[in-house]
């Protein structure tokens, strides 16, 4: 032991002999670790992020101490990958079960009443001239309503995660994210609106075996105008909601996505009905109007692309975000095809009224869960890795019996489905002023359909978000379009089956 001590003392003397001396006579010991630390931290925190990259860096800090030859101790920080930590100094937001229920319940009910009004509006406008003449417009309804999931809810989820992990603390970074994402959203809305019209025209041509170019031009024009205008209005609303909720101490993950859908369906359907009816009346005397207006909106796409490309946060997403939203568009169009077929069937009368309700409620609930799970993964593990509680074999019911925050939220969301739909059914009955309330048979079949839809969606969300994270993709950008499109397809199919069983039983 004594020899080891003497050897260490000699090593210290040899080391100190080569060190420069300060003016006060004491030896100056440079902290050789500090430049590496500063350069590493600067490199990490000044990295040009993209919205398809995970918003939370997994950076660990480990405190190391060393002693100099005088006996004083100093602490130095080294960057480590072993302990996941946010370079912005943010901690995972904690909330009680009751706070979570209240924060989810209020916007959920608000969003549900918005879908009720949207369903009643669709039930009213289905008899307008443009809807009875150009029946392919019904195929457009689910894809255009699904834009709130493809664009608005995805934007809300990304910005909510960015706020929670501290990426909105600086003014310049905040405005870069906002401007870049809003410009990107306008590009996506224009392109998706145009593609939705083409898909609706193709499906209508396959079913009817005839194609009218004036109808195709009408569909393209009203779809692009509706998608563009609704996306701009809802995008501005989303930015205000997210920053307002953070200022009052409410978790944006709980309220942003439901509020994105609260008036989204109503605004989109109202714009679609007014624009399509106006263009329909102008189509006969001025057939070139639809072509001209559509070209004008499409020509604005390069302007939005330039604005989006100038911001590094949305630059990469400009090229990588098309796969999920286009796939979601096709899935929603299949739901629109089912809706188009049910309108003409007298046995399925009433499907139009409840379609926005069941689709909107299911999409709202699953988006809350997807956003919360994505934020949880951002805080607890690096991209490509999963938390310890998610590495075991998957069980379809795992989301509902785990004791963690994601399990509690899944249980709360599933429990809200039945009472929520009962409230919305009774609200429709009161507003319509029907002489008799809905029958017990209809309510039973409807609640089974709605519960099955939400159960499947929440289980799918758990698998999808973790698989996307495992593959290195940001769930905030990729999961919600798939989930809302699946909600539209399952909701419309289950609702049509519900009305068919009710007609057979009664």
């Amino acid at each position: 032991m004594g020899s080891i001590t003497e050897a260490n003392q000699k090593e210290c003397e040899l080391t100190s002999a080569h060190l420069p001396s300060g003016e006060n006579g004491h030896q100056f010991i440079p902290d050789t670790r500090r430049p590496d630390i500063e350069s590493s931290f600067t490199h990490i925190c000044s990295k040009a992020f993209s919205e398809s990259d995970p918003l939370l860096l997994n950076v660990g800090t480990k405190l190391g101490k060393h002693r100099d030859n005088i006996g004083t101790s100093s602490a130095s920080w080294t960057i480590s990958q072993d302990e996941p930590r946010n370079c912005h100094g943010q901690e995972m937001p904690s909330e009680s079960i009751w706070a979570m229920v209240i924060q989810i319940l209020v916007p959920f009910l608000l969003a549900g009443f918005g879908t009720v009004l949207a369903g009643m509006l669709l039930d009213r406008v289905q008899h307008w001239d443009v809807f009875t003449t150009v029946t392919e417009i019904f195929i457009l309804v689910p894809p255009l309503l699904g834009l709130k999931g493809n664009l608005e809810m995805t934007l809300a989820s990304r910005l909510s995660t960015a706020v929670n992990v501290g990426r909105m603390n600086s003014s310049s970074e905040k405005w870069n994210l906002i401007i870049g994402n809003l410009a990107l959203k306008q590009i996506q809305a224009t392109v998706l609106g145009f593609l939705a019209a083409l898909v609706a025209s193709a499906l209508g041509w396959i079913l009817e075996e005839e194609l009218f170019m004036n109808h195709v031009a009408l569909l393209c024009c009203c779809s692009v105008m509706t998608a563009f205008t609704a996306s701009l209005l809802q995008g501005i609303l989303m930015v205000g909601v997210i920053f307002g909720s953070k200022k009052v101490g409410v978790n944006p993950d709980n309220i942003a996505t439901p509020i994105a859908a609260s008036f989204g369906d109503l605004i989109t359907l109202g714009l679609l009905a007014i624009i399509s009816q106006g263009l329909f009346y102008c189509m006969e005397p001025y057939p070139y109007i639809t072509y001209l207006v559509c070209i004008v909106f499409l020509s604005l796409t390069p302007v939005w692309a330039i604005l989006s490309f100038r911001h590094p946060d949305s630059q990469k997403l400009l090229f990588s975000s098309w796969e999920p939203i286009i796939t979601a568009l096709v899935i929603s169009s299949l739901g629109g095809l089912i809706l188009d077929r049910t309108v003409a069937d007298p046995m399925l009368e009433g499907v139009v009224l409840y379609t926005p309700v069941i689709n909107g409620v299911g999409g709202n609930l699953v988006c809350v869960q997807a956003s919360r799970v994505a934020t949880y993964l951002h805080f607890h593990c690096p991209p490509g890795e999963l938390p310890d509680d998610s590495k075991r074999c998957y069980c379809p019911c795992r989301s509902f019996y785990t004791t963690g925050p994601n399990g509690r939220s899944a249980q709360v969301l599933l429990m809200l489905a039945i009472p929520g739909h009962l409230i919305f059914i009774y609200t429709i009955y009161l507003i319509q002023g029907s002489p008799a309330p809905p029958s017990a048979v209809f309510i039973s079949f409807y609640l089974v359909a709605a519960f099955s839809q939400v159960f499947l969606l929440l289980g799918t969300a758990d698998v999808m978000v973790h698989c996307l994270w495992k593959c290195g993709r940001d769930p905030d950008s990729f999961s919600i379009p798939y989930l809302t499109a699946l909600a539209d397809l399952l909701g419309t199919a289950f609702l049509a089956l519900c009305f068919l069983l009710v007609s057979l039983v009664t």
Side-chain angles (χ1 to χ4, degrees):
M1 180 67 70
S3 61
I4 295 175
T5 306
E6 293 176 358
N8 290 338
Q9 290 177 351
K10 291 181 179 179
E11 183 179 353
C12 291
E13 291 175 357
L14 291 173
T15 305
S16 60
H18 293 82
L19 294 176
S21 298
E23 295 180 358
N24 58 358
H26 295 287
Q27 291 175 335
F28 174 73
I29 302 177
D31 189 355
T32 56
R33 295 184 181 182
R34 188 171 183 82
D36 294 336
I37 299 163
E38 291 178 349
S39 61
S40 300
F41 190 80
T42 304
H43 170 71
I44 292 172
C45 290
S46 64
K47 177 183 175 184
F49 293 93
S50 64
E51 278 300 309
S52 61
D53 291 335
L55 294 178
L56 177 62
L57 290 175
N58 292 276
V59 180
T61 58
K62 184 167 62 178
L63 179 64
K65 295 183 178 180
H66 65 277
R67 298 183 180 273
D68 54 24
N69 61 332
I70 301 176
T72 59
S73 62
S74 61
S76 62
W77 294 88
T78 58
I79 302 300
S80 170
Q81 297 294 334
D82 297 332
E83 301 173 9
R85 202 177 277 268
N86 183 3
C87 69
H88 300 279
Q90 297 292 118
E91 296 181 357
M92 181 76 180
S94 60
E95 56 187 348
S96 65
I97 184 68
W98 290 111
M100 179 178 62
V101 171
I102 293 173
Q103 291 179 17
I104 293 176
L105 180 61
V106 175
F108 166 71
L109 293 176
L110 182 63
F113 291 134
T115 60
V116 167
L117 296 177
M120 300 186 69
L121 176 62
L122 182 60
D123 186 53
R124 179 67 60 89
V125 301
Q126 67 171 320
H127 304 293
W128 286 11
D129 294 338
V130 64
F131 284 85
T132 56
T133 305
V134 188
T135 57
E136 293 86 357
I137 201 169
F138 283 104
I139 304 178
L140 273 180
V141 172
L144 289 181
L145 297 186
L147 286 180
K148 70 179 184 297
N150 294 345
L151 305 181
E152 276 72 36
M153 288 184 173
T154 303
L155 173 69
S157 181
R158 287 202 304 267
L159 293 184
S160 297
T161 300
V163 167
N164 280 330
V165 303
R167 290 200 61 207
M168 294 289 198
N169 291 339
S170 66
S171 178
S172 60
E173 191 172 20
K174 175 176 69 176
W175 286 109
N176 282 343
L177 279 172
I178 292 173
I179 295 174
N181 276 278
L182 288 181
L184 173 67
K185 202 159 71 69
Q186 292 309 113
I187 302 173
Q188 294 172 331
T190 304
V191 174
L192 289 181
F194 185 71
L195 292 178
L198 294 181
V199 171
S201 301
L203 292 176
W205 175 56
I206 292 173
L207 293 176
E208 304 294 338
E209 296 184 354
E210 57 181 356
L211 184 67
F212 300 101
M213 291 306 300
N214 286 341
H215 290 182
V216 175
L218 174 66
L219 289 174
C220 290
C221 185
C222 67
S223 180
V224 169
M225 289 183 65
T226 300
F228 182 92
T229 309
S231 178
L232 181 61
L233 294 175
Q234 295 177 73
I236 296 173
L237 176 64
M238 273 302 90
V239 172
V241 166
I242 290 172
F243 288 105
S245 64
K246 191 63 177 178
K247 286 185 177 180
V248 299
V250 177
N251 186 358
D253 280 324
N254 291 337
I255 70 170
T257 51
I259 290 181
S262 59
F263 298 107
D265 289 346
L266 187 61
I267 292 173
T268 304
L269 268 178
L271 288 172
L272 177 63
I274 295 172
I275 292 173
S276 60
Q277 187 77 351
L279 291 174
F280 180 75
Y281 288 143
C282 294
M283 187 173 61
E284 179 106 12
Y286 309 106
Y288 60 86
I289 289 292
T290 54
Y291 297 91
L292 182 61
V293 173
C294 187
I295 291 173
V296 169
F297 276 90
L298 291 176
S299 64
L300 293 175
T301 303
V303 177
W304 302 114
I306 293 172
L307 287 175
S308 178
F309 195 81
R310 290 173 59 185
H311 299 278
D313 301 299
S314 55
Q315 186 180 111
K316 187 175 181 180
L317 196 62
L318 182 62
F319 301 100
S320 63
S321 64
W322 297 102
E323 174 195 338
I325 59 178
I326 292 178
T327 305
L329 174 70
V330 175
I331 297 174
S332 295
S333 297
L334 296 178
L337 183 62
I338 297 174
L339 179 63
D340 182 50
R341 295 295 89 188
T342 59
V343 170
D345 192 341
M347 294 180 61
L348 304 178
E349 184 180 0
V351 172
V352 173
L353 178 62
Y354 289 94
T355 295
V357 179
I358 191 171
N359 293 351
V361 170
N364 296 343
L365 293 177
V366 74
C367 285
V368 172
Q369 179 69 1
S371 182
R372 292 177 61 91
V373 176
T375 300
Y376 179 85
L377 292 175
H378 276 294
F379 269 96
H380 287 85
C381 55
E385 297 183 11
L386 295 177
D388 294 335
D389 58 352
S390 302
K391 292 180 179 179
R392 58 182 181 271
C393 295
Y394 178 75
C395 173
C397 299
R398 185 185 68 182
S399 304
F400 308 104
Y401 64 73
T402 55
T403 57
N406 296 330
R408 291 198 304 268
S409 61
Q411 296 162 10
V412 170
L413 294 170
L414 186 63
M415 289 169 55
L416 287 176
I418 297 299
H421 276 290
L422 286 173
I423 293 173
F424 303 143
I425 291 174
Y426 190 66
T427 302
I428 293 175
Y429 161 69
L430 291 179
I431 296 178
Q432 277 193 324
S434 302
S439 64
V441 175
F442 169 75
I443 293 177
S444 301
F445 279 118
Y446 180 85
L447 293 181
V448 169
F451 184 85
S452 302
Q453 178 210 32
V454 175
F455 180 84
L456 292 175
L457 288 174
L458 292 176
T460 304
D462 187 69
V463 179
M464 184 178 295
V465 171
H466 285 87
C467 287
L468 288 171
W469 185 262
K470 181 69 174 177
C471 296
R473 292 189 171 189
D474 186 8
D476 284 319
S477 298
F478 287 88
S479 64
I480 290 182
Y482 290 119
L483 293 172
T484 54
L486 187 61
D488 292 341
L489 180 59
L490 290 177
T492 308
F494 286 170
L495 187 63
L497 180 61
C498 167
F499 274 86
L500 182 61
L501 291 177
V502 169
S503 65
L504 293 177
V505 170
T506 56

